[in-house]
Amino acid sequence: MFIQLLKYRIKSFLKPSQELFWSVAFPFILGTLFYLALSNVMKGSETFSPIDVVIVEETKMDTYFTEFIHSIDQTSKSHLINVTICSKDDAANKLNNDEVSGVLTVNKELSLTVMKEGYDQSILKSIFDEYQRTAAMVESIARTNHDKVQDALATVSASLDANTEISLSKHTNTDPMTWYYYSLIAMACLFSSMFGFRATINSQANLSSLAARKAVSPAHRLCVITTDFLGSLLVQFASICLLICYLAFVLNVNFGDRLPFVFLTALVGCVIGISLGIFITSIGNFSAVLKLSILIAVSLFLCFLSGLMVSNIKDLIDRNCPIINRINPAALINDALYSLSIFDDYSRYTRNMVTLVIMAVVLCFASFIVTRRERYASI
């Protein structure tokens, strides 16, 4: 009997309906729109571009300055700047035409000329201020202990490798656009609540003719409720697995090397979504249309708070009222996926998963308390 009921429930959930569209088809459509809108937004903006600078030699560059320039120009490991040596007039033209960020004049004293304030100009000033400090140090060492000059120059050169890429975690994914796809998966999980809504409506005899027939059927009530829940979970989890595969392998969204845990997160997300749908639908004697409207509004509001519409809203809530993110299932799903792509350990991920499971149990228990004494005078 259990297998037969489960098969019938899955077939009924797969029939075309508004719940099937919003919980299954809509996330695919929204994911595609995200890709079209966001795929090139951050392309190339995360990389460091060497700064163009011109050197004007009014006097011959000394050995220390020449070695310093070679340690940071395009031939070096650091590659902080692109150096061009030209005349004073050419340098002025390039600076006026914004072809270079600054002009360094070599005379008795070094002087840096810029046309505006900006990141590149600030970096150039910092670089050559550092050179002047180290040059004074090397000169002081040369006067007191000439044998240590080469060691001092080697130390200074090593400290200039400022453009070396390092990673604090082997799982680090710094693409900020991935955050929207995490929120998309969280939204798809919460939209599982529509299947919970449908399953609950079909068990309330005052709202559904199917529920009225089920109420007088010989099937055990616990068996009916279990098959409704499992049928909803299997259909929605299968659709989210397809969504994740579509994002990862068709749209090439980077979920890192922990994809199995992404599927596990989706499974727990489906459970909390269905539990939320059952709980909200079980409350009150409102019409099915009103209950569905409340459910959609609650789901979208939770997704909004997790950053689906405004990316920095979750950080804003964390700074001002962090408890909201600790009880918002969409934020917990989003944060679990984020922790997989950033942190090496699973402590933060485990905390989010345990919280979601506890919330699902509480919602299911509350739904049971609300509906266990339902009786109908007539059907």
Side-chain angles (χ1 to χ4, degrees):
M1 166 107 32
F2 179 84
I3 300 299
Q4 289 294 326
L5 286 175
L6 180 61
K7 182 178 69 174
Y8 293 146
R9 295 313 296 146
I10 292 175
K11 285 183 176 180
S12 68
F13 284 130
L14 289 176
K15 289 182 179 179
S17 63
Q18 62 176 343
E19 293 91 355
L20 191 67
F21 170 79
W22 287 110
S23 58
V24 177
F26 181 68
F28 280 86
I29 298 172
L30 190 58
T32 304
L33 294 176
F34 276 176
Y35 176 78
L36 295 175
L38 304 175
S39 59
N40 293 321
V41 169
M42 296 298 294
K43 187 176 181 181
S45 63
E46 296 291 318
T47 60
F48 174 80
S49 299
I51 303 168
D52 293 318
V53 60
V54 169
I55 294 180
V56 177
E57 288 187 277
E58 294 186 351
T59 61
K60 189 67 176 177
M61 290 188 293
D62 59 38
T63 304
Y64 300 142
F65 185 71
T66 302
E67 186 169 344
F68 171 79
I69 291 298
H70 283 301
S71 69
I72 59 174
D73 70 0
Q74 63 267 30
T75 63
S76 71
K77 181 180 177 180
S78 295
H79 197 183
L80 294 175
I81 61 176
N82 287 327
V83 177
T84 304
I85 299 176
C86 63
S87 66
K88 186 176 182 179
D89 292 338
D90 290 340
N93 289 332
K94 289 185 177 183
L95 186 62
N96 291 330
N97 294 330
D98 205 23
E99 297 177 18
V100 294
S101 298
V103 174
L104 186 69
T105 303
V106 180
N107 207 321
K108 292 181 180 181
E109 293 184 358
L110 293 176
S111 62
L112 177 65
T113 304
V114 298
M115 288 291 293
K116 59 183 180 181
E117 295 182 356
Y119 291 114
D120 289 351
Q121 289 76 15
S122 298
I123 292 173
L124 283 177
K125 185 177 186 303
S126 298
I127 289 173
F128 292 107
D129 283 349
E130 180 66 20
Y131 166 75
Q132 290 178 324
R133 286 192 294 268
T134 55
M137 179 190 69
V138 171
E139 288 179 4
S140 176
I141 293 174
R143 287 194 299 267
T144 59
N145 195 343
H146 185 73
D147 295 337
K148 298 295 183 180
V149 172
Q150 292 301 323
D151 293 339
L153 289 174
T155 302
V156 172
S157 178
S159 68
L160 291 169
D161 287 335
N163 195 30
T164 302
E165 180 177 357
I166 62 172
S167 176
L168 299 179
S169 168
K170 63 182 179 180
H171 302 288
T172 300
N173 175 17
T174 57
D175 185 358
M177 295 300 105
T178 308
W179 181 270
Y180 288 97
Y181 296 106
Y182 294 158
S183 299
L184 174 66
I185 294 174
M187 183 203 72
C189 290
L190 284 196
F191 275 11
S192 305
S193 59
M194 296 186 187
F195 282 108
F197 160 82
R198 187 172 173 185
T200 307
I201 288 296
N202 288 336
S203 65
Q204 294 182 331
N206 61 323
L207 296 177
S208 167
S209 58
L210 175 60
R213 293 195 297 271
K214 288 165 66 176
V216 297
S217 70
H220 194 279
R221 186 171 179 81
L222 179 61
C223 182
V224 173
I225 294 174
T226 303
T227 54
D228 285 347
F229 189 92
L230 287 180
S232 306
L233 180 61
L234 290 174
V235 172
Q236 183 63 13
F237 179 58
S239 70
I240 295 184
C241 286
L242 291 176
L243 174 65
I244 294 172
C245 292
Y246 174 69
L247 296 175
F249 303 116
V250 178
L251 302 185
N252 295 318
V253 176
N254 181 17
F255 289 113
D257 57 355
R258 294 172 170 177
L259 199 56
F261 287 94
V262 177
F263 289 110
L264 176 61
T265 307
L267 176 61
V268 177
C270 288
V271 172
I272 188 67
I274 294 171
S275 302
L276 179 65
I278 293 173
F279 174 72
I280 292 178
T281 311
S282 300
I283 298 175
N285 295 318
F286 314 117
S287 66
V289 174
L290 180 58
K291 288 185 176 184
L292 180 59
S293 300
I294 294 173
L295 184 59
I296 293 174
V298 170
S299 299
L300 289 177
F301 181 66
L302 293 176
C303 291
F304 167 76
L305 295 181
S306 73
L308 180 64
M309 295 79 169
V310 182
S311 61
N312 64 342
I313 188 69
K314 185 172 178 289
D315 294 332
L316 186 64
I317 293 172
D318 255 336
R319 289 194 297 269
N320 295 280
C321 189
I323 187 62
I324 294 177
N325 286 336
R326 302 296 180 268
I327 61 175
N328 178 2
L332 291 170
I333 295 169
N334 198 326
D335 193 65
L337 295 172
Y338 171 79
S339 65
L340 287 176
S341 64
I342 295 296
F343 302 109
D344 286 334
D345 62 21
Y346 292 93
S347 58
R348 182 167 173 173
Y349 175 79
T350 303
R351 183 192 69 192
N352 291 322
M353 290 293 98
V354 170
T355 305
L356 286 170
V357 171
I358 293 174
M359 290 176 63
V361 172
V362 170
L363 289 172
C364 288
F365 182 75
S367 302
F368 171 74
I369 295 297
V370 171
T371 60
R372 69 189 179 113
R373 296 188 181 277
E374 283 186 347
R375 296 293 183 272
Y376 303 99
S378 61
I379 298 179

